[in-house]
Amino acid sequence: MAAILALSYFHYAGSVDTTRRTISGQNHYLTTKQTAPKSALFSRKKLKLPNVSTRQEAILLRLESGFTEDALHLFENMNTRDPSVWNVVIRGLTTNGYFQHALEVYYRMRSEGIRADNYTYPFVIKACAGSFSLVEGQKVHSRLIKVGFDLDIYVCNSLVAMYAKLGLIGLAERVFEELPVRDLVSWNSMIRGFVSVGEGWNALLCFREMQEVGLRPDRFSIISILGACSLECLLRYGKEIHGQMIRSRFELDVMVQTSLVDMYGKCGRVDYAETLFERIYQKNIVLWNAMIAGYTRNGKPIESFACLKKMQEEDKLNPDIITAINLLPSCAQIGALLQGKTIHGFAMRKGFLPHLVFETALVDMYGKCGEQKLARKVFSHMSERNLVSWNAMIAAYVQNGHNREALELFQELWKEPLNPDATTITSILPAYAEVALLRESKQIHGYVAKLNLRSSTFISNSIIYMYAKCGDLQTAREIFDGMVYKDVISWNTIIMAYAIHGFGANSIKLFSEMKEEGIKPNASTFVSLLLSCSGSGMIDEGWAYFTSMEKDYGIYPGIEHYGCMVDILGRSGNLDLAKRFVSEMPLVPTARIWGSLLAASRHHRNIEIAELAAKHITSLGHDNTGCYVLLSNMYAEVGRWGDVERIKFQMANEGLEKSPGCSTVENNSKIYKFINLDMSRMNTDTMYDALNIMSRKIGEDIYIHSVSKFRPLDVIRKRSTSPEFHSVRLAICFGLIQVSLGSPVFVRKNVRICEACHSAAKKIAENTGREIVVGDQKMYHHFRNGRCSCGDYW
């Protein structure tokens, strides 16, 4: 409710200053380059000025008042211009954000034979940094060496700041180290430089070294070092700085107070930030934005909206673009799509767009709210994109299950002058896990190694999951064993990997090792464990883990845990118990839970419970295709053809179609796709001959190859739906012929493998002495020596 009330102010807020503000540390994204509108430079306004003694003072006054064109007009009409006048103009243009114009004036000054001095170069260097021009900056640096200003402390401080802003912290440090004398500005520039490139620890070391040489920090030192504490989440160091502030009487400085509030929020202590915030008497928009960001960052979206409402009511402040940026993640956290759209509309009405940071936050918000089409629309209309924007769009696709689109966008990114980073890789790896085959997974793994990101625990966790989902459990385990640091997600991932491959006993063993290592399990750990028990038929162990969650670890079961328990009970044949378990759940059953009960009813041929589950699934407005297909198959098995026709009519009425079964097999970096009764291959005769031989050996003595295009249509349809012609068998036989001896045959199927094909795959593996791995919609089946890893319990 608070969110809705607060957001209404975006509709009715009064006049808002539309000048863009880029406040350091107020958002998670890189700020875009801000330049003043070109029209402002040439808009002449009549300005009443007090009497001034010189034209130089008049120019300075006009520049400071923002009347740039008037100042330039006076400058152009001067008969003689000494270096001080040129310096005033360059400084004024740079201060007002006209960086390119400032550089043009500098080069014109040199062309007219006016020698620049140590008052000129700091602002010229600042203009190079503001225009993000490394080339111009290096030209100016070379000029400094020629004219002998390369050791001037005032000039070199500007060089340190420029290189740091351009991300070249190594060059900044080199200039800093070569300074014969360093003042407080030198140290502050270096500390701020380390913070700007994300090197918080180096900033802290530099800060300590500054104090060791006898320099006392000022307000700028404090603000920068608090940013370093925020980067590294060093709460203890942040508290120490807070203590220094109190002793040095900086606690009343609003900029320092804002940095403190921001630091506590980023270090996870929003309660500290809130206490400090309430003690501040005069609050500006920057301080309010820091508090709103603190709530958002710490998963308190309702509080962030309430803070917005309080800001407008108590201090009569209107939200700016930074406020909007900080609120969008709150919308994403609670799925508040309407509020997110309201913020979007507010920004458009106030003329805040285009704005790189805000638009990137919009892409992220729409993606997390399930609106990837809106996310793509915003992304497509962005006038400027950085890597963060691309990462947000890729993540939006993956989060909403559009993995193919994510992979296509990832390929587009390679055409841009941007290099994927760790965030890009962690965003795209789940897409590779879901839809890519082993060859493609190895390619992205190779790129990770090239980027030297293998030491990242987060990325290693994603790679383990990717290999597990692609069927290569052995490589997944090798990566896990080779990790230097394993967090709880690492253990959860490898436990899940064994679960989806049917090796439940291995998952339980890993859980014991995890506890021995002192890693405390979380809710996701128990999801992995319960899936292991479900896939391996370990009913008693499943109940034990389900009970242990709350009793031993204080973890309350979520909907995922209840879904796993329904699966365990249903697969074991305890359908009545599973039905009662669902009815007594403290949470509202989802379509997935009813789907588990439906699948179990299909396996154990209980039409009554299947109809009950199907009724609940359809009432939830879920995609009913799988539900209708299962129910139709059950009706057909017992001869209820009227119900079969009714289901077909319902599917047609809802525009639903059964997904055709298809299987893929990989060989020599090529992907081969098969459908039921596939006749499209050049070597079809050889493949069907092999299938015919295999069928005879496993006791299915039929002449498969006798199917021809001259047979009646109904006969061909009947044979195409017969298990002997299923795509998974064709893919297995093709793999046996093409894949080299000694190597396993990997097959992926888009729907669950049927009971007849599962039985046939076991016998084929036994007769050929080959390992066959089939990954279906549910799990991976490892067929060896006539047995399956699932123990026939899937």
Side-chain angles (χ1 to χ4, degrees):
M1 189 65 180
I4 296 173
L5 289 172
L7 260 293
S8 65
Y9 281 79
F10 277 105
H11 288 291
Y12 306 108
S15 60
V16 179
D17 178 14
T18 57
T19 303
R20 295 192 185 169
R21 305 174 179 89
T22 53
I23 292 134
S24 176
Q26 294 299 305
N27 55 72
H28 293 291
Y29 302 96
L30 295 174
T31 54
T32 185
K33 179 171 63 177
Q34 302 292 324
T35 57
K38 186 177 180 181
S39 58
L41 182 63
F42 301 101
S43 59
R44 297 194 62 179
K45 298 179 182 178
K46 190 173 181 181
L47 177 66
K48 292 182 179 180
L49 295 172
N51 293 327
V52 289
S53 59
T54 65
R55 284 205 173 192
Q56 179 176 330
E57 291 178 5
I59 292 171
L60 177 61
L61 185 57
R62 282 168 168 78
L63 287 169
E64 288 178 346
S65 301
F67 293 88
T68 309
E69 201 275 340
D70 280 330
L72 292 179
H73 180 74
L74 283 174
F75 176 74
E76 293 295 339
N77 286 283
M78 291 181 69
N79 294 325
T80 58
R81 294 185 286 263
D82 60 23
S84 61
V85 176
W86 288 91
N87 290 346
V88 165
V89 172
I90 292 171
R91 184 181 70 178
L93 290 171
T94 302
T95 303
N96 289 320
Y98 300 108
F99 305 120
Q100 198 58 45
H101 291 88
L103 291 174
E104 290 172 4
V105 173
Y106 161 69
Y107 283 116
R108 182 180 164 191
M109 173 186 182
R110 285 183 53 193
S111 68
E112 293 188 13
I114 307 298
R115 186 175 184 272
D117 56 23
N118 59 342
Y119 292 101
T120 315
Y121 285 112
F123 290 101
V124 172
I125 294 167
K126 186 177 180 181
C128 295
S131 59
F132 294 94
S133 177
L134 175 61
V135 174
E136 294 295 336
Q138 288 177 326
K139 285 181 181 178
V140 173
H141 193 174
S142 299
R143 180 70 182 173
L144 290 173
I145 297 172
K146 289 180 182 178
V147 298
F149 285 126
D150 56 312
L151 295 179
D152 184 281
I153 188 170
Y154 188 41
V155 174
C156 288
N157 289 344
S158 300
L159 278 175
V160 171
M162 179 196 71
Y163 282 127
K165 186 171 183 178
L166 295 176
L168 301 169
I169 195 64
L171 290 177
E173 197 169 9
R174 182 176 175 182
V175 173
F176 177 79
E177 293 293 340
E178 291 177 355
L179 277 171
V181 179
R182 299 171 192 149
D183 61 5
L184 187 58
V185 177
S186 312
W187 288 96
N188 285 347
S189 299
M190 199 65 241
I191 293 168
R192 186 167 57 250
F194 280 127
V195 173
S196 68
V197 297
E199 296 186 14
W201 278 108
N202 283 333
L204 286 165
L205 292 172
C206 192
F207 181 73
R208 285 189 171 182
E209 189 178 346
M210 178 189 79
Q211 291 175 301
E212 288 171 0
V213 299
L215 289 175
R216 293 184 61 186
D218 62 1
R219 63 198 295 260
F220 299 107
S221 314
I222 297 295
I223 291 169
S224 295
I225 206 61
L226 285 172
C229 295
S230 300
L231 280 172
E232 306 295 342
C233 292
L234 298 172
L235 180 62
R236 185 169 64 86
Y237 287 101
K239 287 181 176 180
E240 289 181 8
I241 302 300
H242 192 175
Q244 288 188 34
M245 284 172 48
I246 296 172
R247 290 190 295 273
S248 302
R249 299 185 179 276
F250 287 127
E251 74 274 15
L252 298 180
D253 187 297
V254 68
M255 287 181 63
V256 175
Q257 289 172 328
T258 302
S259 298
L260 257 183
V261 170
D262 185 64
M263 182 274 295
Y264 281 128
K266 288 178 178 176
C267 289
R269 293 310 302 260
V270 71
D271 53 336
Y272 288 0
E274 196 172 29
T275 301
L276 179 64
F277 178 79
E278 294 298 335
R279 291 175 182 171
I280 300 172
Y281 179 69
Q282 288 187 328
K283 304 179 180 74
N284 58 21
I285 186 68
V286 183
L287 181 59
W288 281 101
N289 285 342
M291 194 65 242
I292 291 170
Y295 283 128
T296 299
R297 194 175 291 111
N298 288 275
K300 294 189 174 185
I302 302 301
E303 287 83 349
S304 68
F305 286 120
C307 191
L308 166 69
K309 185 173 183 290
K310 193 176 178 182
M311 174 187 85
Q312 294 168 311
E313 290 181 346
E314 292 186 3
D315 283 357
K316 309 302 179 185
L317 292 172
N318 290 317
D320 63 3
I321 189 63
I322 303 301
T323 318
I325 290 169
N326 290 336
L327 284 169
L328 285 175
S330 289
C331 297
Q333 289 169 19
I334 57 177
L337 180 61
L338 178 60
Q339 284 74 18
K341 287 181 175 180
T342 302
I343 295 172
H344 190 178
F346 167 79
M348 293 176 67
R349 289 194 305 276
K350 295 301 177 182
F352 290 148
L353 300 179
H355 191 285
L356 175 62
V357 180
F358 179 74
E359 289 170 305
T360 301
L362 272 178
V363 171
D364 181 69
M365 183 274 296
Y366 280 132
K368 289 177 178 175
C369 288
E371 293 288 340
Q372 76 279 349
K373 288 184 179 179
L374 289 176
R376 181 68 200 220
K377 188 175 181 180
V378 173
F379 180 79
S380 299
H381 285 85
M382 290 177 70
S383 58
E384 181 185 0
R385 299 174 191 151
N386 61 10
L387 188 58
V388 183
S389 314
W390 284 86
N391 291 346
M393 192 63 240
I394 290 171
Y397 276 133
V398 174
Q399 288 158 2
N400 291 280
H402 294 264
N403 298 299
R404 289 291 179 194
E405 291 87 343
L407 291 173
E408 289 171 3
L409 189 65
F410 183 59
Q411 294 301 321
E412 286 182 34
L413 175 58
W414 288 101
K415 302 173 185 176
E416 299 289 325
L418 297 168
N419 292 320
D421 62 1
T423 304
T424 319
I425 299 301
T426 52
S427 298
I428 198 63
L429 281 175
Y432 274 94
E434 294 300 327
V435 300
L437 291 179
L438 196 55
R439 172 180 58 88
E440 295 170 310
S441 298
K442 288 180 177 179
Q443 287 177 347
I444 191 67
H445 188 191
Y447 182 71
V448 168
K450 185 179 178 181
L451 289 179
N452 199 25
L453 296 173
R454 288 176 295 183
S455 59
S456 168
T457 299
F458 189 71
I459 290 181
S460 294
N461 294 341
S462 299
I463 293 175
I464 291 170
Y465 180 75
M466 176 187 69
Y467 273 116
K469 289 287 286 185
C470 289
D472 193 348
L473 182 60
Q474 181 180 348
T475 303
R477 182 57 189 264
E478 289 173 358
I479 294 170
F480 175 79
D481 290 337
M483 290 177 66
V484 177
Y485 172 73
K486 304 180 182 76
D487 59 10
V488 66
I489 300 174
S490 311
W491 289 94
N492 291 349
T493 306
I494 196 64
I495 291 171
M496 174 71 77
Y498 277 101
I500 63 175
H501 283 261
F503 298 106
N506 297 70
S507 294
I508 291 175
K509 183 180 177 183
L510 280 164
F511 179 61
S512 298
E513 293 177 13
M514 171 184 172
K515 291 190 293 184
E516 290 174 3
E517 293 289 331
I519 305 294
K520 185 179 179 181
N522 59 17
S524 297
T525 313
F526 285 98
V527 171
S528 300
L529 282 170
L530 292 174
L531 279 174
S532 301
C533 296
S534 173
S536 302
M538 296 183 288
I539 304 170
D540 294 337
E541 291 86 346
W543 272 115
Y545 287 129
F546 186 77
T547 306
S548 174
M549 286 178 59
E550 185 176 352
K551 179 182 176 183
D552 299 328
Y553 299 97
I555 300 172
Y556 292 96
I559 197 69
E560 299 89 353
H561 304 100
Y562 283 104
C564 291
M565 285 307 301
V566 173
D567 211 36
I568 290 172
L569 296 173
R571 289 191 187 193
S572 65
N574 297 320
L575 296 178
D576 291 328
L577 180 58
K579 176 184 171 184
R580 188 166 69 251
F581 182 84
V582 172
S583 64
E584 294 175 356
M585 279 174 52
L587 304 175
V588 178
T590 61
R592 180 189 177 280
I593 288 179
W594 288 114
S596 295
L597 189 60
L598 174 61
S601 303
R602 167 74 175 91
H603 186 70
H604 295 283
R605 295 175 173 80
N606 188 319
I607 291 183
E608 182 182 349
I609 295 182
E611 289 177 327
L612 173 68
K615 180 181 178 182
H616 282 284
I617 293 172
T618 53
S619 69
L620 290 171
H622 195 257
D623 181 5
N624 303 322
T625 306
C627 168
Y628 286 144
V629 170
L630 280 177
L631 207 55
S632 176
N633 290 341
M634 292 183 73
Y635 287 144
E637 288 174 359
V638 296
R640 291 171 56 174
W641 300 110
D643 288 320
V644 171
E645 293 301 319
R646 177 175 57 82
I647 294 294
K648 287 183 179 179
F649 177 78
Q650 285 181 307
M651 290 183 67
N653 191 45
E654 295 180 25
L656 303 175
E657 293 183 4
K658 179 182 177 181
S659 299
C662 69
S663 301
T664 55
V665 62
E666 184 176 2
N667 183 50
N668 293 331
S669 300
K670 292 184 180 179
I671 309 301
Y672 300 89
K673 184 177 179 180
F674 299 87
I675 59 174
N676 295 348
L677 195 61
D678 201 327
M679 303 290 290
S680 62
R681 304 288 160 195
M682 292 183 63
N683 53 356
T684 297
D685 291 341
T686 305
M687 183 175 64
Y688 274 99
D689 286 340
L691 182 56
N692 184 33
I693 295 170
M694 283 297 103
S695 296
R696 289 178 182 176
K697 285 191 174 183
I698 65 176
E700 295 178 352
D701 193 7
I702 60 168
Y703 189 55
I704 294 174
H705 196 48
S706 62
V707 177
S708 76
K709 63 182 180 180
F710 300 108
R711 288 188 172 273
L713 184 61
D714 59 339
V715 175
I716 293 179
R717 282 177 177 171
K718 184 176 179 181
R719 292 203 170 197
S720 67
T721 58
S722 178
E724 293 85 2
F725 296 94
H726 281 181
S727 62
V728 66
R729 298 200 194 195
L730 300 178
I732 289 173
C733 286
F734 181 84
L736 290 171
I737 297 170
Q738 298 293 330
V739 177
S740 59
L741 288 173
S743 300
V745 176
F746 283 95
V747 175
R748 293 192 75 168
K749 185 173 172 61
N750 66 331
V751 294
R752 289 190 70 181
I753 185 173
C754 70
E755 189 173 352
C757 289
H758 186 273
S759 177
K762 287 195 300 180
K763 295 174 183 177
I764 293 173
E766 182 179 21
N767 277 274
T768 59
R770 300 282 294 274
E771 179 184 2
I772 300 170
V773 182
V774 178
D776 65 11
Q777 202 178 38
K778 189 76 175 179
M779 64 184 297
Y780 273 92
H781 302 264
H782 292 252
F783 299 101
R784 296 180 192 141
N785 302 320
R787 301 180 64 184
C788 180
S789 59
C790 72
D792 299 337
Y793 198 86
W794 86 104

